[in-house]
Amino acid sequence: MDLIKQIFDSGVVGCGGAGFPTHVKLKASPEILIINGAECEPLLRTDRYLMIHEAEKLVSGVDLICHELSIPEGRIALKKTYTKEIEALTAAIEKLHSKVQLHLMDSFYPAGDEQTLIQQVTGRCVPERGLPSDVGCVVDNVGTVLNIADALEGKAVTEKYLSVVGEVTHTMQLHVPIGTSVLECVHAAK
């Protein structure tokens, strides 16, 4: 299986906000694959939702990426206050006999920032204007790993999970087609 090609063909890009092409990141031959589940912005709940409801798919996705790309370590970083998420991921790790490790972080801002995350998880500091690959790491978002798992089943990225929060009647998580207007999402939460 050519995982990098499948990721490219399925259109997987980073779901954490920047949309960086995932196939490019994973070509870096990292020592550690870090999955960012720390939700940098305090109101967001997308990664938390996915870690609870897609825990097995997430853990098996990390295992598969590490195996296929010969990455020695896979770690999911999340805040230690995320008790339901920790329970779901721990159960998935045990059930799947996975080598994935959880890295539990304190709640601080910006815990989900890529450079901060790398320092917290590994003790390594990305140099100024550097990349995570400069210190042997790749950071992917929870949603990105789930999209990779879908890519392995031949599914292209056509939808996105997102949080609708703020001045709405009902805060919620949505799974919408890419290109859905922000107004549609806000109206769904009224």
Side-chain angles (χ1 to χ4, degrees):
M1 154 188 354
D2 185 351
L3 179 62
I4 298 293
K5 181 173 178 357
Q6 286 182 285
I7 291 168
F8 174 79
D9 289 347
S10 294
V12 179
V13 297
C15 292
F20 193 83
T22 302
H23 72 281
V24 173
K25 273 187 173 185
L26 291 174
K27 283 183 185 177
S29 301
E31 300 164 22
I32 303 171
L33 174 63
I34 301 171
I35 308 310
N36 186 351
E39 299 279 30
C40 190
E41 296 296 332
L43 294 178
L44 297 182
R45 294 289 185 270
T46 306
D47 292 339
R48 295 181 69 178
Y49 173 86
L50 293 171
M51 287 186 287
I52 292 169
H53 297 285
E54 298 285 352
E56 285 185 29
K57 184 176 179 181
L58 176 61
V59 169
S60 65
V62 174
D63 277 335
L64 191 111
I65 294 165
C66 288
H67 174 74
E68 290 298 318
L69 300 179
S70 300
I71 302 171
E73 292 183 52
R75 300 182 194 173
I76 301 172
L78 66 160
K79 295 176 183 172
K80 59 180 144 188
T81 57
Y82 295 176
T83 54
K84 290 179 185 176
E85 295 81 353
I86 294 165
E87 289 172 14
L89 291 168
T90 300
I93 289 167
E94 290 173 6
K95 179 179 179 182
L96 298 170
H97 305 288
S98 173
K99 294 180 182 179
V100 170
Q101 300 169 36
L102 299 183
H103 181 87
L104 306 182
M105 301 170 41
D106 289 327
S107 289
F108 62 90
Y109 182 84
D113 172 74
E114 186 173 65
Q115 293 184 356
T116 302
L117 192 73
I118 290 168
Q119 192 281 325
Q120 289 288 306
V121 173
T122 68
R124 301 172 187 178
C125 292
V126 177
E128 186 175 340
R129 294 186 185 88
L131 296 171
S133 59
D134 295 337
V135 293
C137 299
V138 165
V139 178
D140 274 324
N141 176 270
V142 169
T144 306
V145 173
L146 295 175
N147 283 341
I148 292 170
D150 286 343
L152 295 172
E153 295 176 8
K155 298 177 188 172
V157 177
T158 60
E159 298 178 315
K160 173 140 177 74
Y161 284 94
L162 53 90
S163 295
V164 182
V165 298
E167 291 188 38
V168 295
T169 306
H170 304 286
T171 60
M172 60 177 38
Q173 305 310 307
L174 294 178
H175 192 214
V176 298
I178 293 173
T180 301
S181 76
V182 172
L183 285 176
E184 264 185 79
C185 297
V186 170
H187 287 300
K190 288 194 174 208

